[in-house]
Amino acid sequence: MMMLSGKVALVTGSARGIGRSIAERFCGEGATVVINDVGNDAAAVETLEALKASGGKGSVRMFDVSDAACVDEAIKGIMEDHGRIDILVNNAGITRDNLLMRMSEDEFDAVLRVNLKGTFLLTKAVTRHMIKQRSGRVINISSVVGLMGNAGQANYVAAKAGIAGFTKAVAREVASRNVTVNAIAPGFIVTAMTDSLKEEVKKAFLAQIPLGRFAEPGEVAELVLFLASDASSYITGQVIGINGGLYM
């Protein structure tokens, strides 16, 4: 039997990258997946078509995770379409890197608004239904830099560290209703961003990773799948690293 048979999952930021890999893995285990993104309509539709071509089930719902009204409307629509939401993956995120002395207030606010406030809004809206169902899984995507820091990313690090703390607080609030809340903290992942790095920059990053390589998006998806499944029923309030030993 498939691990997520009959489950409905919402994966934010899932038109490409890690989010798409998570959506693909969920579909492969029998879940109906709601694809979300903003500003990437064509990529979202292409992702859904690829999922359906491989036998998966899903839909696309484009909305801004940082807009409370849009979030509430989207969750209402998903509940009308599917009757339940069993899994939420808060994956949507942006970067606006700059050194602190050069970072604008807009750069700081934009990253906190999408990465941290978006996680808050989605979790609040979805756990309301999970509590009534007396079951649910929330997986938040933090980052290794939220644990160890990174120069030039004070805004992103603050958001990802905030997600780690937020995860622990919410896990305590909803545990009695059989809803678990966990976070994962990925390190360097093979994405379009890392592909575009200069070779000397890649070598410098790789030198810091004991396993000597970047992770594949599918490796992150496997951990998310585990946390979304019944196999993780006694795990909540945890921030689990997947970074090749970069941070121990």
Side-chain angles (χ1 to χ4, degrees), residues 32-215:
T32 297
V33 180
V34 180
I35 304 297
N36 157 262
D37 219 294
V38 62
N40 292 304
D41 297 49
V45 170
E46 192 276 327
T47 295
L48 179 62
E49 289 175 348
L51 294 178
K52 289 184 175 180
S54 61
K57 297 175 291 184
S59 61
V60 169
R61 193 164 287 271
M62 306 294 282
F63 62 91
D64 181 355
V65 300
S66 69
D67 185 312
C70 290
V71 167
D72 288 343
E73 182 180 357
I75 299 308
K76 180 181 178 182
I78 294 169
M79 291 298 298
E80 289 173 352
D81 290 344
H82 302 289
R84 60 189 298 114
I85 302 175
D86 300 287
I87 303 158
L88 167 65
V89 181
N90 284 306
N91 170 72
I94 63 170
T95 57
R96 296 289 185 271
D97 296 351
N98 217 335
L99 294 173
L100 177 63
M101 291 300 115
R102 299 174 183 169
M103 185 176 290
S104 69
E105 188 174 347
D106 286 344
E107 288 172 331
F108 187 85
D109 287 347
V111 171
L112 269 290
R113 185 170 61 249
V114 174
N115 296 30
L116 185 55
K117 183 183 177 183
T119 296
F120 156 71
L121 291 174
L122 263 298
T123 304
K124 180 180 179 181
V126 171
T127 53
R128 180 178 291 114
H129 298 287
M130 290 180 173
I131 287 169
K132 292 178 181 177
Q133 294 169 182
R134 289 188 171 268
S135 67
R137 299 280 188 270
V138 178
I139 301 103
N140 299 321
I141 307 300
S142 180
S143 170
V144 66
V145 301
L147 306 176
M148 64 183 285
N150 196 36
Q153 288 193 309
N155 48 4
Y156 187 75
V157 170
K160 294 301 187 177
I163 287 172
F166 175 81
T167 296
K168 293 175 181 293
V170 178
R172 289 186 179 274
E173 292 185 18
V174 299
S176 65
R177 297 299 188 269
N178 195 36
V179 178
T180 65
V181 186
N182 291 289
I184 70 168
F188 292 106
I189 313 299
V190 176
T191 62
M193 182 185 74
T194 54
D195 286 343
S196 67
L197 295 174
K198 295 180 179 179
E199 281 304 314
E200 58 268 28
V201 175
K202 288 184 182 180
K203 288 179 180 178
F205 284 145
L206 288 170
Q208 303 175 57
I209 302 172
L211 285 181
R213 65 176 179 84
F214 296 150

